Amino acid sequence: FFFFFQESMHAYAANVYTTVIEELMKGKQRKFIAVEQEFFRLWWDMVATDTQKQQVHQLLQEGRLEFVIGGQVMHDEAVTLIDDQIIQLTEGHGFLYETFGFRPQFSWHVDPFGASATTPTLFALAGFNAHLISRIDYDLKADMQKNKKLQFVWQGSPSLSARQEIFTHVMDQYSYCTPSHLPFSNRSGFFWNGFATFPDPPKDGVYPNMSLPVTDANLHLYAQTMVANIKQRAAWFRTGDVLWPWGCDKQFFNASVQYSNMDLLVDYINKHSAEFGVTVQYATVSDYFQAVYSRNLTWEIRDSQDFLPYSTEPFQAWTGFYTSRSTLKGIARRASSLLYAGESFFTQYVQKHPEGSICKCKALKQLQSLRWAVSEVQHHDGITGTESPKVKDMYMNNLMYGMLNVKKLMASIIFDINNAKKNGEVYSSVYTKDSGEPDVDLYVVVYNPLAWNITTFVTVSVSSEAMSVYDELGRSVPAQVQSSVESQSTYDLYILVAISGLSYRKYSIKPLDGQQAAFVGSSVKYKRRDLAGAGQQRQQLFPVVNSCYQIVFDQNTNLMHSITDRETNQTVLFTQEFLEYHVNGDTKKGPISDNYLFAPNTSAVPVSKAVVLEVMSGSLMTEIRQYFYSNITSQDYIYAVYTRLYSVPEGYDGKLLCRRIEQEYSVGPLEFNREAILRTSTSLNTRQVLYTDNNGYQMQKRPFKAYVNNTVARNYYPMVQTAYIEDDSTRLMLLAERAHGVSSQGNGQVEVMLHRRLWNNLEWDLTNNLTLNDSSVVRPVIWLVLGSKAVTNTLYRTSGLALEHRPVVMFGALSEDTPKLPRQLQENSVHDLPVTVPPNLHLQTLSIPGWRYSSNHAEQVHSIHMGEQKQGDPDFSRVLLRIRHLYEVGEDPVLSQPVVVDLKSLLKGLGSVVAVEERSLTGTWDVNTLERWKWKTAQYPGKRFFNSTETSEDFTVTVHPKEIRTFFVYFQVQ
């Protein structure tokens, strides 16, 4: 499950690769599969000798060492965003292709806690022939096993269906480890190297729990045990080929002990195959799938339903990790968003400013530090929050270091473009609340990383209410200033920005000079209301309005009462409250909650008896601040909500801005064994059906299911970016900037788990410091969108991405003698050609990967064999472009249509496109030569290879619903 901290990771991974490579060279029959590139690359770069490197090349060519998945890590499937899954896969594949010319074609997703339907599509797009998973609900697995249905062809995307289907194998009840029990020994079974102890291996080489060595005396007993297990498993599959995984977590660190015992057993069974009725051979994943494929059977099709949530027994629902370590989940997403902005910013700089003074190699290293930190944290014990505090700190440190690097890079690019070195320093802030020196004139540079025009607010912290904001041409910019939620001494300045795709604007902020001042928000505080006595009084309602919504509050309770959609005049009763699930921490008393599991022992309990309400109103925004107290006299609050409603002046496109109700929550520090939720109850007749997303890529329908045990926890699902409830006419959408667990425990209800703080005495959790004593205060943001299905359909994809990729704000100070901004600066930001795609497409990637490999496979393999693939400068001429269609077939009459894109015209702002190559998802295959295996199904009885989509000669491509198209683009050298 978990990783030791970094030193042990290095020590452990190094031992595995060093001893495995040595052992593989000793026996032609021996094989091995390796998964996570982060560890292999550490060994390759820091430990491996030239001889070992040579041996790896040879073993790969012989097919005896095989990389499966080939990403940096084995990513989690429940709480990760598709963008980040693609990044981590791409980084690993780029390394493998550059170094070995090797392209993984099989997955080994054995450890993520539940399986998403996005993953099969992702792996199909990357050119994989088969997908392998293990952790699915225990009762479902038992049923599939009994009926020989653990293998199927999975059409993970309803829109891409057969084009990106993939054969999928679910491991049986023994999962991915060798059986650990032997009838003739009380030691562990088949693990002759025992269990790893790091960082200090035992002096005598005797590790804990080493299996009984194979001898003449026990060889037959060992063989009988192994054969019996193989036959038991064979009964659960349709072919006579049995995948018998040999190994487990942290095995093969002493590979000589392992292989020498395995050899004896394999030889003995094969010598007596007539008696045993079984032959065995060492195999890689591709050997196994090749054997099954060649049987030419017809397979059942599975539709786009995922395997979430995941339970291992009645009271073990693995739905707690959807929320565990919310701060880490939030930072991981901010880092991913900053990386996205940094990549396109740097790509444009390289193309438009070939004479620029920034060292490109250093810049690429800065980006790479964040690529790798974002990749690493996607691990199934990373962003999940299922690691020890020490490992969590490592992830956080790597993310913060990478973010700092990319902020520095973006600031230095702005400098260089504007030659503004003498005009004071530019420094960058991605947390919008950071600010520059409040006492000098500030300027902010705001970059829009999306390929659409956006109109939104950015927030800057300032020291006084009297402020004016101007754009590059000295025109006044609408802004509003008000006292800060965070501190008594500062103010929040909200600036209305309108920025075209992949462009930046500059704004200067000056102390009031008598001209156009920012609007000042005024505050009205409503006195603390006791919720207990509110029921008897007549409601006292007051409205907060913008041009899309009227939100009504009840002054007796200081809670929200209803929301009216002004377009349809539909009013929905709407209340929100914080509750806590109380959970057990003592294993003697029953099921426990921990980093992974959620096991509430009662219904959720309301947390507050009294609410304070403050309304900050101004002409651009109204902010409603609600503070929840445990009783009428308490001094401190643990819960608060800040609800913001925006009004957009004439002349600005305010559709998205007006339509979102922004909520920021402050939750914590919690008491022990409390799981905090925000429950929203509405008058919508939803029949208790919830919809949640898979990885920000596609939606899943989640009808409420009643179970004998643990019904609350088993109806929790991950929301990575989107969730909604609806009735026949109206939909309420929730858009998130980090993952949360969500559930609908009642008709018209949706609840979001925002925070968890736990302690338990389970020995395993204590040993590995997995008790989740998280005393932090978390500040997640959720945007609510309420409206007709038709309207929410047109808004939620773009809104979700607008929340994910909020503008990057960089600060600089203007020194005294430069009253006006430099001349070039004004022109640069105003006259650049923006990069813009239609609202149903998303520019998923625009980056310079830097890979030094040939796009021609034969050439690449040849240069590696000739030893020409040595260290050199990265390749800056190749640009990686991905375009994603955001809609499903039939989801919207207009937005679900295919879109024709002229790549030359799309990218003309960067330069003149001279060549485009369409590639597989991670860039390692030319789509015209990629032939994935076609597994026979009733839908397609003939077996055929898959071929890919068409790209025309004239740089135009047609992007169909849900496609993610990947290209290498080359520009004319300036």
Side-chain angles (χ1 to χ4, degrees):
F1 281 129
F2 55 92
F3 277 127
F4 290 108
F5 46 94
Q6 214 158 6
E7 307 92 280
S8 344
M9 272 186 339
H10 294 183
Y12 165 68
N15 279 22
V16 172
Y17 287 114
T18 300
T19 63
V20 164
I21 299 304
E22 187 182 338
E23 290 308 309
L24 290 177
M25 296 308 290
K26 289 181 186 170
K28 280 285 182 211
Q29 77 287 9
R30 294 173 171 181
K31 297 192 175 186
F32 192 77
I33 62 164
V35 181
E36 297 179 306
Q37 288 312 302
E38 172 152 339
F39 303 116
F40 177 77
R41 186 187 299 191
L42 280 171
W43 176 79
W44 182 261
D45 287 345
M46 297 159 78
V47 180
T49 63
D50 285 349
T51 305
Q52 287 166 331
K53 289 183 174 184
Q54 219 33 64
Q55 291 169 337
V56 170
H57 279 284
Q58 182 190 330
L59 290 165
L60 282 168
Q61 278 160 40
E62 292 172 4
R64 298 201 295 117
L65 173 65
E66 178 172 88
F67 292 112
V68 286
I69 308 177
Q72 288 284 85
V73 294
M74 186 190 298
H75 68 253
D76 166 69
E77 300 196 31
V79 298
T80 48
L81 198 58
I82 186 170
D83 311 52
D84 301 330
Q85 297 177 358
I86 293 172
I87 286 166
Q88 76 85 19
L89 209 55
T90 301
E91 283 301 298
H93 285 192
F95 164 74
L96 285 176
Y97 196 56
E98 179 174 283
T99 315
F100 306 111
F102 184 87
R103 302 181 283 199
Q105 289 188 276
F106 301 94
S107 98
W108 181 258
H109 250 229
V110 295
D111 211 13
F113 322 130
S116 157
T118 305
T119 316
T121 303
L122 205 71
F123 288 159
L125 289 167
F128 286 19
N129 290 319
H131 176 37
L132 185 148
I133 61 177
S134 180
R135 292 179 179 272
I136 65 169
D137 228 45
Y138 69 100
D139 39 11
L140 178 62
K141 181 179 276 199
D143 187 59
M144 290 167 75
Q145 191 169 279
K146 191 174 77 206
N147 296 307
K148 296 194 180 189
K149 295 203 169 177
L150 290 169
Q151 293 171 319
F152 45 85
V153 170
W154 196 354
Q155 297 184 349
S157 161
S159 296
L160 301 174
S161 64
R163 283 187 300 143
Q164 301 301 342
E165 69 189 15
I166 193 166
F167 181 80
T168 303
H169 171 103
V170 183
M171 290 191 140
D172 58 45
Q173 68 189 43
Y174 290 101
S175 193
Y176 62 91
C177 294
T178 324
S180 54
H181 176 68
L182 294 174
F184 56 88
S185 159
N186 57 3
R187 299 199 213 170
S188 75
F190 304 101
F191 295 127
W192 292 280
N193 54 198
F195 287 113
T197 53
F198 284 115
D200 301 310
K203 302 269 184 287
D204 56 2
V206 178
Y207 285 84
N209 225 352
M210 294 172 89
S211 300
L212 219 51
V214 176
T215 59
D216 288 348
N218 62 25
L219 182 52
H220 190 72
L221 293 170
Y222 258 119
Q224 277 180 315
T225 306
M226 184 169 168
V227 166
N229 184 266
I230 289 169
K231 286 181 169 172
Q232 179 189 15
R233 291 166 125 163
W236 299 330
F237 292 94
R238 290 180 58 202
T239 77
D241 315 292
V242 177
L243 176 72
W244 208 75
W246 210 326
C248 196
D249 296 348
K250 290 186 293 303
Q251 283 294 313
F252 286 91
F253 58 89
N254 187 352
S256 66
V257 183
Q258 199 62 20
Y259 276 112
S260 54
N261 284 282
M262 288 157 72
D263 282 351
L264 293 169
L265 200 42
V266 167
D267 291 346
Y268 182 80
I269 292 173
N270 287 338
K271 281 204 183 78
H272 301 86
S273 61
E275 170 196 340
F276 286 125
V278 163
T279 59
V280 290
Q281 67 176 74
Y282 288 114
T284 61
V285 181
S286 81
D287 293 335
Y288 171 71
F289 280 124
Q290 186 72 63
V292 177
Y293 184 61
S294 61
R295 302 276 182 178
N296 210 10
L297 299 182
T298 300
W299 299 96
E300 279 190 13
I301 290 174
R302 179 182 177 85
D303 65 11
S304 57
Q305 190 59 47
D306 63 7
F307 291 96
L308 289 164
Y310 161 63
S311 290
T312 35
E313 46 186 81
F315 283 102
Q316 289 191 348
W318 295 51
T319 56
F321 80 91
Y322 301 160
T323 304
S324 296
R325 300 207 190 285
S326 177
T327 303
L328 175 64
K329 285 176 163 65
I331 295 284
R333 287 272 282 275
R334 295 309 293 148
S336 154
S337 172
L338 178 65
L339 175 62
Y340 176 76
E343 295 279 14
S344 64
F345 204 60
F346 176 64
T347 303
Q348 292 187 83
Y349 173 75
V350 169
Q351 294 305 326
K352 294 179 188 175
H353 302 274
E355 71 305 321
S357 67
I358 288 174
C359 167
K360 293 194 296 224
C361 290
K362 181 187 169 196
L364 197 60
K365 283 211 158 49
Q366 289 173 305
L367 281 167
Q368 213 161 38
S369 70
L370 190 52
R371 285 177 192 169
W372 289 1
V374 167
S375 295
E376 164 188 271
V377 79
Q378 306 312 316
H379 188 278
H380 57 275
D381 282 310
I383 195 167
T384 49
T386 54
E387 65 284 273
S388 69
K390 212 164 192 172
V391 177
K392 180 261 299 176
D393 292 343
M394 176 200 83
Y395 285 126
M396 288 289 257
N397 291 340
N398 291 350
L399 288 165
M400 298 310 260
Y401 172 72
M403 287 169 83
L404 185 66
N405 278 332
V406 171
K407 290 175 190 179
K408 281 181 184 161
L409 172 61
M410 292 180 77
S412 61
I413 287 175
I414 285 179
F415 257 164
D416 195 61
I417 292 175
N418 297 308
N419 296 324
K421 292 212 171 49
K422 45 190 179 301
N423 293 334
E425 190 174 348
V426 170
Y427 59 96
S428 148
S429 155
V430 129
Y431 297 106
T432 43
K433 292 286 195 281
D434 290 0
S435 72
E437 280 295 309
D439 302 326
V440 293
D441 287 10
L442 276 183
Y443 63 84
V444 288
V445 175
V446 184
Y447 177 60
N448 167 25
L450 290 165
W452 305 311
N453 298 341
I454 59 157
T455 302
T456 190
F457 282 94
V458 295
T459 317
V460 178
S461 190
V462 292
S463 59
S464 127
E465 278 189 341
M467 286 287 163
S468 305
V469 182
Y470 300 98
D471 69 7
E472 304 90 339
L473 301 175
R475 294 173 299 206
S476 176
V477 174
Q480 179 171 321
V481 66
Q482 59 197 38
S483 65
S484 170
V485 165
E486 299 279 297
S487 81
Q488 303 303 304
S489 58
T490 61
Y491 296 89
D492 289 337
L493 175 65
Y494 287 82
I495 305 170
L496 183 66
V497 299
I499 311 177
S500 46
L502 267 57
S503 303
Y504 67 85
R505 299 279 308 269
K506 275 201 136 174
Y507 300 91
S508 52
I509 302 169
K510 302 186 173 173
L512 194 57
D513 51 10
Q515 306 302 310
Q516 301 283 324
F519 302 109
V520 177
S522 58
S523 160
V524 178
K525 226 171 183 157
Y526 294 84
K527 69 171 198 273
R528 190 180 300 204
R529 292 294 184 174
D530 187 344
L531 297 178
Q536 292 83 51
Q537 300 163 337
R538 212 182 84 244
Q539 287 182 324
Q540 284 187 293
L541 305 178
F542 75 91
V544 175
V545 184
N546 73 356
S547 49
C548 295
Y549 299 113
Q550 170 174 287
I551 305 180
V552 174
F553 287 84
D554 182 349
Q555 268 172 272
N556 287 335
T557 59
N558 287 340
L559 294 175
M560 209 181 277
H561 169 271
S562 63
I563 300 179
T564 302
D565 172 6
R566 297 183 63 188
E567 189 176 341
T568 58
N569 224 6
Q570 193 92 14
T571 298
V572 176
L573 296 177
F574 196 99
T575 56
Q576 290 185 311
E577 59 175 338
F578 288 108
L579 301 96
E580 287 174 345
Y581 286 105
H582 293 202
V583 294
N584 166 45
D586 184 353
T587 51
K588 294 190 193 69
K589 292 187 178 157
I592 53 141
S593 273
D594 64 9
N595 298 49
Y596 310 90
L597 308 176
F598 172 41
N601 51 17
T602 53
S603 299
V605 181
V607 294
S608 70
K609 298 213 165 48
V611 182
V612 167
L613 180 72
E614 182 183 5
V615 178
M616 301 291 306
S617 46
S619 51
L620 297 179
M621 178 187 74
T622 303
E623 181 175 71
I624 300 102
R625 302 173 179 177
Q626 291 165 292
Y627 303 94
F628 294 74
Y629 293 88
S630 54
N631 59 53
I632 197 81
T633 55
S634 357
Q635 293 304 299
D636 296 324
Y637 60 88
I638 295 177
Y639 293 89
V641 186
Y642 311 104
T643 304
R644 304 183 186 109
L645 200 59
Y646 297 102
S647 299
V648 185
E650 285 294 306
Y652 284 86
D653 173 14
K655 190 174 73 210
L656 286 185
L657 202 48
C658 166
R659 267 280 170 196
R660 69 176 177 243
I661 300 167
E662 178 172 300
Q663 291 199 313
E664 183 179 354
Y665 312 101
S666 175
V667 179
L670 300 177
E671 290 173 39
F672 277 114
N673 289 328
R674 299 287 187 269
E675 318 225 7
I677 64 163
L678 174 79
R679 182 175 288 165
T680 301
S681 304
T682 71
S683 53
L684 298 176
N685 178 22
T686 61
R687 301 175 181 83
Q688 227 174 325
V689 175
L690 172 70
Y691 294 82
T692 69
D693 66 330
N694 273 163
N695 317 104
Y697 178 65
Q698 63 192 37
M699 300 304 295
Q700 293 276 355
K701 184 177 182 176
R702 312 291 195 188
F704 188 84
K705 294 179 182 148
Y707 295 94
V708 178
N709 296 308
N710 216 15
T711 292
V712 170
R714 291 186 79 174
N715 279 284
Y716 255 79
Y717 294 92
M719 161 171 73
V720 178
Q721 204 171 45
T722 314
Y724 64 84
I725 54 173
E726 63 183 18
D727 63 13
D728 296 337
S729 63
T730 306
R731 182 183 285 171
L732 170 67
M733 311 237 29
L734 284 66
L735 301 169
E737 40 73 79
R738 70 187 72 178
H740 300 278
V742 289
S743 187
S744 178
Q745 298 284 339
N747 188 25
Q749 275 185 6
V750 58
E751 63 184 54
V752 181
M753 191 181 288
L754 297 172
H755 200 12
R756 322 175 70 213
R757 186 181 185 187
L758 308 169
W759 180 263
N760 69 68
N761 58 5
L762 182 68
E763 193 179 331
W764 194 88
D765 282 343
L766 291 172
T767 311
N768 299 300
N769 202 351
L770 286 174
T771 51
L772 203 64
N773 177 11
D774 182 347
S775 59
S776 63
V777 176
V778 297
R779 302 290 299 259
V781 171
I782 287 180
W783 288 358
L784 306 174
V785 180
L786 181 75
S788 66
K789 290 183 188 181
V791 167
T792 53
N793 240 351
T794 61
L795 292 175
Y796 81 102
R797 301 279 183 192
T798 37
S799 295
L801 285 158
L803 174 57
E804 189 65 38
H805 298 296
R806 285 166 286 186
V808 177
V809 180
M810 290 167 276
F811 294 93
L814 290 180
S815 53
E816 295 303 300
D817 53 349
T818 48
K820 274 271 183 288
L821 295 174
R823 186 72 213 151
Q824 309 98 294
L825 191 125
Q826 302 177 8
E827 295 181 353
N828 175 284
S829 26
V830 181
H831 297 306
D832 263 359
L833 284 169
V835 177
T836 314
V837 295
N840 53 353
L841 295 188
H842 170 46
L843 190 74
Q844 172 97 36
T845 310
L846 182 66
S847 75
I848 294 179
W851 300 314
R852 301 185 317 279
Y853 62 62
S854 168
S855 314
N856 177 317
H857 184 62
E859 232 170 70
Q860 174 64 5
V861 171
H862 179 74
S863 76
I864 286 170
H865 288 179
M866 301 306 289
E868 290 159 15
Q869 201 59 5
K870 291 279 175 269
Q871 287 297 311
D873 277 349
D875 179 353
F876 291 97
S877 67
R878 177 188 286 146
V879 170
L880 177 67
L881 169 74
R882 286 192 191 95
I883 296 175
R884 162 155 64 114
H885 197 301
L886 294 171
Y887 282 80
E888 298 283 1
V889 169
E891 187 179 358
D892 183 271
V894 177
L895 296 168
S896 291
Q897 296 303 316
V899 185
V900 177
V901 181
D902 179 338
L903 298 179
K904 206 175 168 78
S905 153
L906 173 69
L907 299 172
K908 64 178 183 284
L910 276 73
S912 174
V913 173
V914 291
V916 173
E917 301 163 356
E918 182 159 8
R919 306 292 291 183
S920 60
L921 182 70
T922 58
T924 52
W925 294 87
D926 172 345
V927 291
N928 300 309
T929 61
L930 173 58
E931 295 195 322
R932 294 199 306 121
W933 295 356
K934 173 63 188 154
W935 298 73
K936 255 178 26 178
T937 58
Q939 193 178 4
Y940 291 107
K943 206 175 180 184
R944 59 185 175 79
F945 282 100
F946 262 137
N947 225 323
S948 46
T949 36
E950 73 309 322
T951 327
S952 69
E953 287 303 295
D954 62 351
F955 303 122
T956 61
V957 289
T958 304
V959 187
H960 294 272
K962 288 325 264 191
E963 282 188 339
I964 302 174
R965 303 284 288 276
T966 304
F967 305 94
F968 286 161
V969 181
Y970 303 89
F971 291 87
Q972 196 166 347
V973 180
Q974 295 184 36

